[in-house]
């Protein structure tokens, strides 16, 4: 079969598949929009299938296009790895990494690692897919993300789980709340106040429900949110208190929110990296993946 398309056509397709916009994609690869459209038309004609559905507002992938996009991404990532192996890091063709993560890891953990990564690789774009724990698993399993940051996944056969941080759940409240001055708070004490919970579909809710199954007096939600970050917004607004992972809380100098360790029982979760078993990451993705371990080692050395 003769291939009547080239590498630049594949790059153009990969770009518009990610951005869902012809104008933005054309700008990204430094082409005029008509020239960019001709590349996509050429690729579709060569393959004999429609890869994209276009309208005046948005571009979406067809079923064939979604499958082809995954294969193109893997092919281009493999090309990057080959170029780096031959000529060194400066040969990397693409500069993009996609990380899937649960929202509670973003503000005060993932953002720190990404900041360090940007200092090392300022030309690499990092795409963050923030979603629920199960959605993060699915994104990594389907190769929609290079790897993920999650607290579930250790039991998934097709995924590798690398533990990073073990953290406890804490009581989140305003500084003017009666619990704010306590050194520790029991779940029974927390139940005496208006309580903000995450929904039953949340992975954090599953962790808490399992850990507190035998606790006689436990908080009952007055308010419910889908994500921990939203629950914290309700707490900051003065609507109640919440039990959240310590990683989701701001530092001690935050003007409004404060965290207090929860006891009786202490509930913990383990956050780690997940990736498809046996998958080779692109050089850019591998560098970011390795940086998480380096940050972990640095924190241990600092203790």
């Amino acid at each position: 079969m003769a291939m009547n398309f080239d590498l630049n056509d594949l790059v153009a397709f990969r770009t518009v598949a990610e951005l869902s916009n012809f104008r933005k994609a054309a700008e990204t690869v430094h082409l005029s929009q008509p020239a960019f459209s001709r590349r996509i038309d050429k690729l579709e004609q060569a393959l004999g299938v429609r890869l994209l559905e276009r309208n005046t507002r948005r571009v979406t992938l067809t079923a064939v296009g979604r499958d082809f996009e995954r294969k193109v991404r893997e092919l281009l990532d493999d090309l990057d790895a080959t170029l780096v192996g031959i000529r060194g890091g400066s040969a990397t063709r693409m500069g993009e990494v996609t990380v899937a993560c649960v929202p509670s890891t973003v503000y005060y953990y993932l953002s720190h690692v990404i900041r360090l990564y940007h200092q090392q690789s300022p030309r690499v774009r990092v795409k963050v897919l923030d979603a629920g724990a199960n959605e993060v698993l699915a994104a990594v399993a389907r190769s929609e993300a290079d790897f993920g940051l999650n607290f579930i996944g250790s039991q998934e056969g097709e995924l590798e789980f690398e533990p990073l941080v073990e953290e406890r759940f804490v009581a989140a409240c305003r500084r003017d709340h009666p619990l704010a001055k306590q050194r520790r708070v029991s779940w029974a004490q927390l139940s005496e106040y208006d309580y903000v919970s995450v929904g039953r579909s949340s992975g954090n809710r599953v962790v808490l429900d399992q850990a507190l199954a035998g606790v006689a007096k436990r908080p009952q939600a007055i308010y419910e949110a889908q994500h921990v970050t939203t629950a914290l917004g309700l707490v900051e607004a003065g609507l109640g208190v919440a039990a959240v992972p310590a990683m989701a809380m701001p530092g001690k100098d935050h003007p409004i929110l404060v965290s207090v360790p929860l006891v009786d029982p202490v509930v913990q979760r383990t956050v780690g990296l997940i990736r498809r078993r046996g998958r080779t990451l692109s050089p850019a993705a591998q560098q970011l993946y390795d940086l998480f371990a380096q940050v972990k080692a640095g924190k241990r050395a600092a203790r």
Side-chain angles (χ1 to χ4, degrees), residues 158-279:
E158 62 182 326
L159 300 177
E160 298 176 359
F161 183 87
E162 178 67 29
L164 287 175
V165 180
E166 188 169 287
E167 57 168 351
R168 67 189 298 169
F169 280 78
V170 297
C173 59
R174 287 174 56 96
R175 290 189 177 276
D176 56 4
H177 192 276
L179 294 179
K181 302 298 183 183
Q182 300 291 324
R183 295 185 59 186
R184 60 184 64 85
V185 173
S186 69
W187 292 94
Q189 287 176 290
L190 200 67
S191 69
E192 297 173 3
Y193 300 92
D194 288 347
Y195 182 66
V196 182
S197 173
V198 289
R200 293 185 183 277
S201 62
S202 167
N204 285 301
R205 174 69 175 268
V206 174
V207 171
L208 291 175
D209 285 348
Q210 291 177 345
L212 301 178
V215 176
K217 192 174 182 181
R218 51 184 290 188
Q220 301 299 317
I222 301 297
Y223 307 102
E224 188 173 286
Q226 184 63 31
H227 298 299
V228 167
T229 49
T230 305
L232 285 175
L234 297 178
V235 171
E236 188 167 340
L239 296 181
V241 296
V244 304
M247 185 181 292
M249 290 296 293
K252 295 181 179 180
D253 58 347
H254 193 275
I256 299 176
L257 292 177
V258 64
S259 63
V260 185
L262 278 165
V263 296
D264 301 328
V266 172
V267 182
Q268 296 181 316
R269 70 175 191 175
T270 301
V271 174
L273 295 170
I274 57 172
R275 60 189 290 180
R276 281 183 58 185
R277 193 175 300 278
R279 179 185 178 184

Side-chain angles (χ1 to χ4, degrees), residues 16-302:
V16 74
E18 192 231 323
L19 297 177
S20 300
N21 184 286
F22 264 68
R23 180 183 58 80
K24 292 180 181 178
E27 292 174 353
T28 299
V29 298
H30 308 293
L31 287 175
S32 67
Q33 192 166 333
F36 185 89
S37 296
R38 286 195 294 271
R39 284 197 182 278
I40 300 302
D41 291 340
K42 173 186 171 186
L43 180 61
E44 289 182 325
Q45 290 173 13
L47 296 174
V49 295
R50 179 173 285 277
L51 300 172
L52 301 167
E53 295 289 352
R54 311 158 172 86
N55 58 43
T56 56
R57 299 182 59 187
R58 188 170 176 80
V59 178
T60 58
L61 291 167
T62 64
V64 174
R66 285 193 295 272
D67 183 62
F68 188 63
E69 187 274 337
R70 285 193 292 269
K71 291 180 171 61
V72 167
R73 179 171 4 123
E74 291 176 359
L75 184 151
L76 294 177
D77 285 348
D78 288 343
L79 176 60
D80 278 352
T82 301
L83 292 175
V84 170
I86 294 174
R87 303 208 310 268
S90 61
T92 301
R93 180 197 52 77
M94 296 182 68
E96 179 180 296
V97 181
T98 301
V99 183
C101 67
V102 288
S104 57
T105 65
V106 174
Y107 286 127
Y108 306 105
Y109 186 74
L110 177 63
S111 59
H112 170 65
V113 178
I114 290 178
R115 184 180 297 111
L116 295 176
Y117 181 71
H118 181 66
Q119 293 172 359
Q120 298 177 6
S121 304
R123 295 186 178 181
V124 177
R125 180 172 58 172
V126 178
K127 181 179 179 181
V128 177
L129 300 179
D130 51 327
N134 289 320
E135 289 86 353
V136 169
L137 287 183
V140 175
R142 295 194 299 258
S143 295
E144 294 171 0
D146 294 292
F147 62 89
L149 192 62
N150 209 342
F151 55 91
I152 63 173
S154 59
Q155 304 301 318
E156 301 292 325
E158 62 182 326
L159 300 177
E160 298 176 359
F161 183 87
E162 178 67 29
L164 287 175
V165 180
E166 188 169 287
E167 57 168 351
R168 67 189 298 169
F169 280 78
V170 297
C173 59
R174 287 174 56 96
R175 290 189 177 276
D176 56 4
H177 192 276
L179 294 179
K181 302 298 183 183
Q182 300 291 324
R183 295 185 59 186
R184 60 184 64 85
V185 173
S186 69
W187 292 94
Q189 287 176 290
L190 200 67
S191 69
E192 297 173 3
Y193 300 92
D194 288 347
Y195 182 66
V196 182
S197 173
V198 289
R200 293 185 183 277
S201 62
S202 167
N204 285 301
R205 174 69 175 268
V206 174
V207 171
L208 291 175
D209 285 348
Q210 291 177 345
L212 301 178
V215 176
K217 192 174 182 181
R218 51 184 290 188
Q220 301 299 317
I222 301 297
Y223 307 102
E224 188 173 286
Q226 184 63 31
H227 298 299
V228 167
T229 49
T230 305
L232 285 175
L234 297 178
V235 171
E236 188 167 340
L239 296 181
V241 296
V244 304
M247 185 181 292
M249 290 296 293
K252 295 181 179 180
D253 58 347
H254 193 275
I256 299 176
L257 292 177
V258 64
S259 63
V260 185
L262 278 165
V263 296
D264 301 328
V266 172
V267 182
Q268 296 181 316
R269 70 175 191 175
T270 301
V271 174
L273 295 170
I274 57 172
R275 60 189 290 180
R276 281 183 58 185
R277 193 175 300 278
R279 179 185 178 184
T280 300
L281 297 178
S282 69
Q286 187 66 56
Q287 184 182 3
L288 178 55
Y289 186 94
D290 293 341
L291 187 57
F292 280 94
Q294 295 169 19
V295 169
K296 174 183 176 181
K299 287 184 177 180
R300 283 181 173 176

